[in-house]
Amino acid sequence: KFPEVKRDLALLVDRQVTFAQLRAIALATERKLLKSVSLFDVYEGDKLPEGKKSYALSFILEDKTRTLDERTIERVMANLTRQFEQKCGAQVRA
């Protein structure tokens, strides 16, 4: 009835950080609107600092009671980003 919203986020993390850790942080941070987290790209190479890798994550958000507005979506993504930064030292990649 109400459309899902997809947002992508690229994170630079230490090599030992796993997708499972990032997924657990995301699901614990946003229990209400986050429907799924998926990994669509992993990059480790000479363009990154030593000991780092890049994860590209995709998030599906949905509210069963209303259509999500941009402000709500931005708030959720900001919360997720802050938790990734605090819990595993992630940096958002442009």
Side-chain angles (χ1 to χ4, degrees):
K1 187 175 176 187
F2 298 103
E4 294 179 341
V5 175
K6 181 180 175 216
R7 288 290 183 273
D8 296 337
L9 188 62
L11 297 172
L12 185 65
V13 295
D14 289 336
R15 193 167 278 146
Q16 65 269 22
V17 173
T18 65
F19 168 65
Q21 289 172 291
L22 295 174
R23 185 173 184 276
I25 291 167
L27 293 172
T29 300
E30 184 51 59
R31 291 187 168 96
K32 186 176 170 227
L33 301 177
L34 186 61
K35 296 299 164 215
S36 73
V37 182
S38 55
L39 177 66
F40 67 89
D41 188 43
V42 179
Y43 176 73
E44 293 182 69
D46 57 356
K47 304 266 191 289
L48 298 179
E50 187 66 36
K52 299 281 187 181
K53 64 184 169 185
S54 172
Y55 278 134
L57 306 176
S58 195
F59 302 89
I60 303 290
L61 307 173
E62 182 186 29
D63 190 326
K64 298 282 189 203
T65 62
R66 63 186 178 90
T67 299
L68 290 170
D69 59 26
E70 197 59 38
R71 210 168 77 225
T72 303
I73 296 164
E74 291 299 323
R75 184 178 43 78
V76 167
M77 293 309 293
N79 285 345
L80 289 170
T81 301
R82 193 167 41 254
Q83 290 301 311
F84 292 140
E85 288 169 351
Q86 289 173 0
K87 297 206 163 116
C88 58
Q91 295 172 288
V92 174
R93 277 189 87 202

